[in-house]
């Protein structure tokens, strides 16, 4: 039976048209949620007046100044529709007693499939082939690729997505090795290496780690120098895992022969919006895109119907728990480190 009363008043920022049906299906008219397309900022924080919670995404400004304004308006909860929380000033939220929650895991297969799709597309030069075919140029001379069978794939990060990615590569007949500080020993028949060994042995390297202080610019001159010449690098995580200026040097020298990115170090003001008419475009990104052996997409590895519904379901579950006075369990990303889940969560 649907509730005939308001449970929680919420405003959701940066809502895309395609998200609405998934949130509506998950919410079932339970919470009073206002959906707006504007990103959260100091200017748009006013839409949170009279609400208890805000729902945000990775491109929203959830800095200290914005959090203080939200707190002044009475906001008690912030739920992000993402695994990542680096866009939120968690300390500022903690000081203002605002509880935080993320989506700790959702459809890892969607992201894993996308990561492998980038790799396969690069290996068989799919983008140049399609572009040539659209111009009715059906020569194949420039489209020689390589097979993945027997190649060594290095997975950095063995969380849900890393393990799902490893399983696909093993199905392709690859030798899969891994590095993860949490899993220093054998995990699910995946051979482990220290980071330097993995960089040195891998033909394909796939990144699956969260952005933290010790992973920011994980890929830099030092780590790049330890890779094989002609290596393939795939990143479906934060763009800030890679120091782009040093990555460009590795592309020019052919240290990196194939590059697939579903993120960009300086994507904050670019991704999820249309910049075709911008007079001054990001020069570094323009250079990256110009390489035929590079594929860049705007952080859409998660973008499947299955993942979108799961994100919506878990976001609404966070609201449900808060309204019931419960901890959000594994989704809790509060600054005080509260991870205590009640037994009935």
């Amino acid at each position: 039976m649907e509730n005939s009363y308001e449970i929680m008043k919420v405003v959701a920022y940066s809502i895309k048209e395609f998200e609405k049906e998934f949130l509506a299906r998950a919410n079932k008219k339970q919470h009073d949620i206002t959906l707006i397309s504007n990103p959260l900022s100091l200017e748009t924080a006013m839409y949170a007046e009279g609400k208890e919670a805000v729902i945000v995404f990775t491109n929203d400004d959830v800095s200290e100044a914005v959090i203080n304004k939200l707190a002044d308006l009475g906001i008690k909860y912030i739920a992000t529709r993402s695994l990542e929380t680096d866009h939120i000033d968690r300390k500022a939220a903690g000081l203002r007693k605002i509880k935080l929650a993320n989506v700790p895991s959702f459809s890892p297969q969607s992201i894993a499939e996308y990561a492998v799709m980038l790799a396969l597309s690069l290996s068989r030069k799919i983008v140049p082939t399609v572009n040539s075919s659209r111009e009715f140029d059906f020569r194949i001379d420039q489209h020689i690729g390589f097979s993945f069978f027997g190649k060594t794939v290095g997975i950095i990060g063995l969380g849900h997505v890393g393990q799902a990615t490893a399983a696909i590569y093993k199905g392709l007949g690859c030798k899969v090795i891994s590095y993860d500080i949490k899993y220093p020993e054998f995990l699910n028949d995946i051979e482990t290496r220290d980071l330097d060994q993995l960089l040195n042995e891998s033909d394909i390297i796939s990144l699956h780690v969260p952005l933290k202080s010790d992973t920011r610019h994980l890929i830099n001159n030092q780590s790049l120098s330890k890779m094989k010449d002609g290596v393939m690098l795939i990143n479906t995580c934060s763009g800030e895992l890679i120091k782009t200026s040093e990555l460009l040097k590795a592309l020019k020298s052919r240290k990196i022969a194939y590059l697939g990115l579903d993120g960009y170090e300086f994507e904050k003001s670019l991704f999820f919006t249309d910049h075709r008419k911008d007079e001054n475009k990001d020069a570094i990104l323009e250079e990256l895109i110009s390489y035929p052996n590079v594929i860049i997409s705007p952080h859409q590895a998660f973008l499947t119907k299955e993942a979108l519904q799961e994100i919506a379901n878990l976001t609404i579950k966070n609201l449900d728990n808060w309204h019931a006075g419960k901890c959000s369990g594994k989704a809790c990303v509060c600054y005080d480190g509260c991870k205590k889940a009640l037994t009935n969560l």
Side-chain angles (χ1 to χ4, degrees):
M1 179 183 296
E2 293 182 354
N3 293 311
S4 59
Y5 56 90
E6 294 177 0
I7 292 185
M8 202 173 210
K9 289 190 174 183
V10 184
V11 58
Y13 288 91
S14 298
I15 294 294
K16 303 296 183 187
E17 190 65 32
F18 61 76
E19 290 183 276
K20 293 180 180 179
E21 64 173 297
F22 298 102
L23 280 168
R25 191 178 298 129
N27 189 38
K28 299 176 182 177
K29 298 182 179 180
Q30 181 169 269
H31 301 291
D32 179 8
I33 303 179
T34 301
L35 306 177
I36 62 174
S37 60
N38 309 67
L40 175 60
S41 66
L42 273 173
E43 291 71 31
T44 62
M46 62 181 181
Y47 296 123
E49 187 171 4
K51 312 294 185 183
E52 296 172 76
V54 297
I55 298 173
V56 301
F57 195 52
T58 54
N59 59 321
D60 287 309
D61 179 0
V62 201
S63 60
E64 180 180 7
V66 174
I67 284 172
N68 285 333
K69 188 167 183 179
L70 291 174
D72 291 342
L73 291 169
I75 292 299
K76 299 175 183 177
Y77 311 100
I78 298 174
T80 182
R81 310 188 304 281
S82 63
L83 170 64
E84 300 88 351
T85 59
D86 51 284
H87 54 300
I88 302 174
D89 189 324
R90 294 168 61 206
K91 184 176 182 180
L95 290 172
R96 296 304 301 267
K97 309 298 183 185
I98 293 177
K99 295 187 182 299
L100 306 174
N102 70 341
V103 180
S105 177
F106 55 90
S107 188
Q109 291 77 19
S110 295
I111 300 172
E113 290 167 8
Y114 195 91
V116 178
M117 179 274 296
L118 285 176
L120 290 169
S121 297
L122 286 164
S123 73
R124 300 304 296 268
K125 302 186 179 181
I126 293 299
V127 173
T129 298
V130 170
N131 289 340
S132 295
S133 296
R134 284 176 173 167
E135 296 175 0
F136 264 61
D137 180 354
F138 300 114
R139 293 172 295 174
I140 62 173
D141 311 58
Q142 303 302 315
H143 304 316
I144 300 172
F146 70 86
S147 172
F148 273 66
F149 187 85
K151 298 297 189 296
T152 299
V153 178
I155 306 290
I156 300 180
L158 274 181
H160 296 296
V161 177
Q163 292 183 54
T165 305
I168 298 172
Y169 278 120
K170 291 185 78 170
L172 292 173
C174 299
K175 176 183 179 181
V176 178
I177 60 176
S178 66
Y179 166 78
D180 192 310
I181 194 168
K182 290 185 178 179
Y183 304 105
E185 300 177 356
F186 225 61
L187 178 69
N188 295 344
D189 298 325
I190 301 171
E191 296 183 36
T192 57
R193 299 285 191 274
D194 66 34
L195 183 57
D196 286 354
Q197 289 175 322
L198 182 144
L199 295 173
N200 186 255
E201 294 179 28
S202 300
D203 302 301
I204 299 101
I205 296 173
S206 195
L207 305 181
H208 301 283
V209 294
L211 178 65
K212 296 182 178 179
S213 58
D214 59 345
T215 60
R216 185 174 185 272
H217 291 166
L218 176 68
I219 304 302
N220 53 37
N221 278 335
Q222 185 177 6
S223 55
L224 287 162
S225 68
K226 296 172 183 175
M227 297 179 189
K228 288 183 178 182
D229 291 340
V231 69
M232 174 186 287
L233 178 63
I234 303 294
N235 182 26
T236 51
C237 300
S238 170
E240 292 186 57
L241 296 179
I242 300 175
K243 190 169 181 62
T244 312
S245 59
E246 296 174 3
L247 174 72
L248 275 169
K249 295 176 186 176
L251 270 171
K252 291 174 182 176
S253 69
R254 299 290 293 179
K255 164 65 76 170
I256 293 180
Y258 309 88
L259 177 66
L261 301 178
D262 185 49
Y264 171 55
E265 185 179 1
F266 310 110
E267 70 183 54
K268 191 70 174 180
S269 60
L270 286 171
F271 284 4
F272 310 124
T273 52
D274 187 350
H275 292 272
R276 286 177 293 178
K277 295 182 180 179
D278 288 4
E279 291 186 11
N280 298 310
K281 293 183 171 62
D282 185 300
I284 297 175
L285 186 56
E286 277 195 306
E287 184 174 359
L288 276 172
I289 291 173
S290 71
Y291 284 85
N293 56 335
V294 173
I295 297 176
I296 298 178
S297 58
H299 236 123
Q300 66 181 60
F302 74 97
L303 199 61
T304 63
K305 294 177 181 178
E306 294 81 1
L308 287 169
Q309 191 61 65
E310 194 168 355
I311 290 169
N313 292 345
L314 291 170
T315 299
I316 298 301
K317 183 179 179 181
N318 289 333
L319 298 180
D320 292 341
N321 286 332
W322 282 332
H323 182 264
K326 300 176 183 177
C327 173
S328 56
K330 292 181 180 179
C332 175
V333 288
C334 297
Y335 180 70
D336 62 10
C338 171
K339 298 290 182 184
K340 191 183 295 181
L342 300 182
T343 55
N344 58 346
L345 284 182

